[in-house]
Amino acid sequence: WGGAARAAATGSDAPFVPCRSPASGVGETPPFPSSLPAGASPRGPPPRAPPRRSLSSPRPSSTSLPVLGGFGQHELYLLRISDDRVALTLTRLLSHLNQRRARGGLWVDPPVLARTFADLSDGVLGFRQAAKIEDIPFPWPYAQVIAFLLCVFASVFPLIS
């Protein structure tokens, strides 16, 4: 990222800190602002998705689920700037499981841990498929033709048989 692009994307001219990771090599990542207020983000508010119309839930739910242990400032920052919060959460969960297993904190057999990973993957797959169904609109003219043909079938079939 250049200076102008970085300032436009992050809202500050803070320099990037190069990060070295054994798995990914050298890369540039934006620094985490340690003095970030609880409700603020360096990139501004997250982009708002257009409102979805759904027959099953016409109004957004106002219930919130408690998070055991709460969120740290860094976790909130990552969730705010993430484009895909589900993938971020899954990646962090799998990373924590692997780190704990490597340190000796998870005393389970490898097949049990593999099954845990498979179940998490299946859950995310189900979420993606549900989101795909929700995001792709059903064509209105097609629905009207199907309803009309069902009415015709229901009225003509008893006469034929």
Side-chain angles (χ1 to χ4, degrees):
W1 288 23
R6 180 179 63 240
T10 62
S12 70
D13 289 328
F16 283 149
V17 178
C19 235
R20 184 175 299 271
S21 169
S24 63
V26 176
E28 291 187 8
T29 58
F32 174 69
S34 59
S35 62
L36 191 65
S41 172
R43 292 188 182 188
R48 297 194 72 130
R52 294 182 181 175
R53 295 174 60 194
S54 174
L55 296 177
S56 60
S57 60
R59 279 183 264 164
S61 175
S62 63
T63 60
S64 61
L65 298 174
V67 177
L68 297 177
F71 281 111
Q73 287 294 319
H74 184 66
E75 291 166 336
L76 286 174
Y77 171 74
L78 289 175
L79 285 170
R80 283 192 185 111
I81 66 169
S82 175
D83 293 330
D84 190 1
R85 293 180 180 139
V86 174
L88 174 71
T89 305
L90 177 69
T91 303
R92 289 180 58 92
L93 180 62
L94 294 177
S95 173
H96 286 299
L97 284 173
N98 283 326
Q99 288 172 3
R100 186 151 182 188
R101 169 100 173 137
R103 286 187 302 227
L106 271 179
W107 295 99
V108 296
D109 293 330
V112 174
L113 193 60
R115 186 63 197 171
T116 303
F117 290 158
D119 287 341
L120 288 170
S121 176
D122 290 344
V124 171
L125 178 65
F127 173 79
R128 298 279 184 219
Q129 289 175 343
K132 187 172 31 175
I133 290 171
E134 175 73 21
D135 290 341
I136 298 174
F138 195 76
W140 178 255
Y142 186 67
Q144 295 301 308
V145 169
I146 288 175
F148 173 73
L149 290 177
L150 280 173
C151 290
V152 169
F153 177 76
S155 60
V156 172
F157 184 74
L159 300 174
I160 295 174
S161 60

